[in-house]
Amino acid sequence: MKKTQSHFGRIGQIAYDGAKSENALAFKHYNPDEVVDGKTMKEHLRFSIAYWHSFRGVGSDPFGPGTIQRPWETGKDAISIAKTRMDAAFEFFTKIQSPFWCFHDRDIAPEGRSLAESNKYLDAIVAHAKQLQKATGVRLLWGTANLFSNPRFMAGASTNPDAHVFAYAAAQVKKALEVTQELGGENYVFWGGREGYETLLNTNLKREQDHFAAFLQMAVDYAKEIGFAGQFLIEPKPKEPTKHQYDFDCATCIGFLRTYNLHKHFKLNIETNHATLAGHTFQHEIEVAAAAGLLGSIDANAGDMLLGWDTDQFNTDVKELTLAMVSILKAGGLGSGGFNFDAKLRRQSTDLDDLFIAHIGGMDAYALAFKIARRILAEGKFEKFVADRYSSFDSGFGKDIEKRKIGFKELEKLVIGKLGEPTPKSGKQEYLENLLNQYVVNGA
Ligand code: XUL
Ligand code: CO
């Protein structure tokens, strides 16, 4: 990044200004350098910026073209525009104090007329990204391949009925893995773009799922061959673009990975709006992944409860995020994962400021939720309530059930004998909801 050139005019580095600040361009809760338990907030939260939304998104929707124009989108050819855009991106990552970024291969470099030409373009931009990473200290949380935009992938990539398309997708992921490794990527994501179907009238579901598993195994094998040590992540989503996506939700992915003996090589990248599209809460998906030991990373966003599609909004719902943070912290954190803002500006948010304001809001909401969640866990009220609720399994016949030492016959004898009818015990839902509200209102 040339020190002299700023793509963001008067906007400097965003600073922490405290909870009472009225400055729209300051953090109110995210203090990147604040040390909590021996680690800075920056290290705890591992925020990441999504290149596709923040630097390729223009606000287009099915009813109209883009509304957002960026001053850096000029240059003599596609490669030089891509480089200038990337300079602007790294300036933004630095100014917003995000330690990580994420990309799809085709976000950062233009697609060529052949795969060889696309790879050449990608190499040129990756070399540029490597310099920028070195100059700024910003790291790559994950890389991925876009296997859904080009018309060749209209019927899917690894689940395409045409083996030729499968081969193309394999070649593209091979390269995407190599460049992710080149940039020190800590993870590699598989979001199932068009891996699903529109109608079963033309689909062999079993064969497609077998092919999908074969594809993932090839990725595992190739990563081993080249010594890529990053974590593989699958990102569940129930629908959109296809009517039915194979990676429907966390539970479906866990079943799929275990069926094909891939679970040792993958974890899950949970996106809030994908959880809600599947009819789940964000926290539910985190708990399901954590219970299977597969909690990997988060695509941090929100949907709109009144709309049935993936609106990818910035999440400012502190209560929802507090619940998510409690579950994440209880599970031991995200490891090599992080919170990636897979979120875009609304179509009418056309100012350059809006890009900062949106990320500030998201970062602040996660930071506040993180602190509230830590207080909740330190005080242990919910955990104690839940532990007491299950305490009948801590001793006696309850313990024998958990230890698998007892069966139907013994339990029948107990019920007919000394146990009789169970006494009802309140679940105290309203009490717990009120308690949660108190934590959220009182804040950090
Ligand atoms: C699509 C989505 C993707 C993945 C990466 O809904 O979330 O951007 O995160 O391919
Ligand atoms: Co995503």
Side-chain angles (χ1 to χ4, degrees):
M1 188 175 12
K2 286 187 214 88
K3 278 219 171 64
T4 45
Q5 196 189 356
S6 167
H7 294 281
F8 296 94
R10 61 182 174 80
I11 307 173
Q13 189 170 68
I14 304 302
Y16 169 71
D17 213 10
K20 299 231 158 62
S21 170
E22 288 182 12
N23 179 358
L25 288 171
F27 294 122
K28 322 289 181 300
H29 302 284
Y30 176 51
N31 182 356
D33 301 320
E34 180 184 350
V35 177
V36 176
D37 256 354
K39 275 207 297 195
T40 62
M41 286 294 278
K42 203 171 199 167
E43 290 164 333
H44 275 296
L45 294 169
R46 294 168 64 85
F47 286 133
S48 164
I49 309 299
Y51 204 86
W52 54 101
H53 285 313
S54 291
F55 289 90
R56 300 314 308 270
V58 290
S60 58
D61 72 10
F63 301 92
T67 52
I68 297 171
Q69 284 167 5
R70 297 303 187 207
W72 52 78
E73 293 289 326
T74 55
K76 65 176 177 8
D77 55 27
I79 293 288
S80 59
I81 298 172
K83 285 187 181 163
T84 310
R85 177 189 299 130
M86 188 164 271
D87 293 340
F90 274 80
E91 187 185 335
F92 177 73
F93 304 157
T94 309
K95 288 191 163 166
I96 199 73
Q97 303 216 46
S98 174
F100 291 101
W101 68 300
C102 291
F103 69 86
H104 299 83
D105 49 2
R106 303 296 177 250
D107 305 334
I108 58 171
E111 183 149 12
R113 280 157 302 179
S114 65
L115 186 63
E117 193 174 58
S118 299
N119 288 351
K120 200 178 80 189
Y121 292 161
L122 191 56
D123 283 336
I125 300 298
V126 165
H128 194 62
K130 205 171 174 181
Q131 281 172 14
L132 289 165
Q133 286 194 163
K134 198 160 170 244
T136 58
V138 175
R139 287 139 66 200
L140 180 62
L141 187 66
W142 49 262
T144 189
N146 180 329
L147 304 177
F148 43 89
S149 295
N150 190 292
R152 81 173 70 84
F153 297 122
M154 68 180 178
S158 70
T159 63
N160 199 292
D162 184 353
H164 188 158
V165 180
F166 182 108
Y168 200 108
Q172 198 178 320
V173 169
K174 173 179 175 288
K175 182 69 181 172
L177 269 173
E178 289 162 6
V179 302
T180 299
Q181 182 181 33
E182 172 75 9
L183 292 172
E186 299 193 17
N187 307 269
Y188 183 90
V189 164
F190 292 88
W191 166 61
R194 294 179 195 272
E195 312 292 30
Y197 62 80
E198 299 298 338
T199 171
L200 287 170
L201 291 172
N202 64 14
T203 302
N204 185 330
L205 182 146
K206 169 83 168 77
R207 264 183 114 166
E208 293 202 355
Q209 292 197 333
D210 286 350
H211 297 166
F212 191 16
F215 191 85
L216 294 178
Q217 186 62 54
M218 286 179 198
V220 168
D221 294 343
Y222 189 63
K224 200 168 163 204
E225 198 178 318
I226 62 173
F228 174 66
Q231 174 66 52
F232 277 143
L233 299 168
I234 298 218
E235 184 176 321
K237 186 175 185 181
K239 56 189 166 198
E240 201 203 22
T242 70
K243 158 185 148 158
H244 181 100
Q245 303 268 133
Y246 291 131
D247 294 332
F248 195 92
D249 59 3
C250 287
T252 309
C253 290
I254 292 164
F256 173 84
L257 290 169
R258 288 193 179 145
T259 301
Y260 291 99
N261 204 22
L262 286 162
H263 52 287
K264 284 184 215 71
H265 306 289
F266 289 83
K267 286 189 175 174
L268 300 172
N269 182 35
I270 300 171
E271 179 162 325
T272 319
N273 200 178
H274 296 179
T276 46
L277 284 175
H280 303 306
T281 62
F282 183 26
Q283 190 189 16
H284 169 90
E285 287 295 79
I286 293 166
E287 289 273 335
V288 170
L294 297 184
L295 179 60
S297 198
I298 301 292
D299 264 9
N301 66 12
D304 184 315
M305 284 307 162
L306 300 182
L307 302 174
W309 65 90
D310 199 11
T311 58
D312 283 341
Q313 291 172 227
F314 286 84
N315 197 334
T316 53
D317 182 341
V318 178
K319 192 192 273 190
E320 179 183 46
L321 298 182
T322 298
L323 291 169
M325 281 292 184
V326 165
S327 294
I328 291 168
L329 292 175
K330 271 200 309 191
L334 295 174
S336 68
F339 294 95
N340 171 49
F341 288 104
D342 192 353
K344 63 184 176 207
L345 292 171
R346 298 305 87 197
R347 196 162 187 264
Q348 298 174 52
S349 301
T350 50
D351 290 347
L352 214 43
D353 285 18
D354 294 323
L355 190 60
F356 284 90
I357 292 168
H359 284 89
I360 290 168
M363 289 163 135
D364 272 340
Y366 272 88
L368 180 56
F370 173 80
K371 290 186 176 175
I372 298 172
R374 279 177 49 87
R375 200 155 65 77
I376 287 176
L377 290 173
E379 291 176 14
K381 290 182 190 156
F382 294 97
E383 284 191 294
K384 181 170 181 318
F385 182 89
V386 174
D388 287 350
R389 194 161 183 243
Y390 291 85
S391 59
S392 60
F393 286 93
D394 293 343
S395 60
F397 70 91
K399 192 169 182 179
D400 290 343
I401 293 171
E402 284 199 348
K403 294 250 174 251
R404 313 267 178 113
K405 281 207 223 139
I406 198 167
F408 277 1
K409 278 189 291 184
E410 294 85 353
L411 291 170
E412 182 195 49
K413 210 169 144 201
L414 277 170
V415 173
I416 289 174
K418 65 173 182 181
L419 286 179
E421 190 62 29
T423 1
K425 292 184 189 96
S426 172
K428 289 265 174 275
Q429 181 170 334
E430 297 79 4
Y431 161 75
L432 295 166
E433 285 168 353
N434 296 354
L435 186 60
L436 174 66
N437 248 3
Q438 246 183 311
Y439 276 107
V440 174
V441 168
N442 292 336

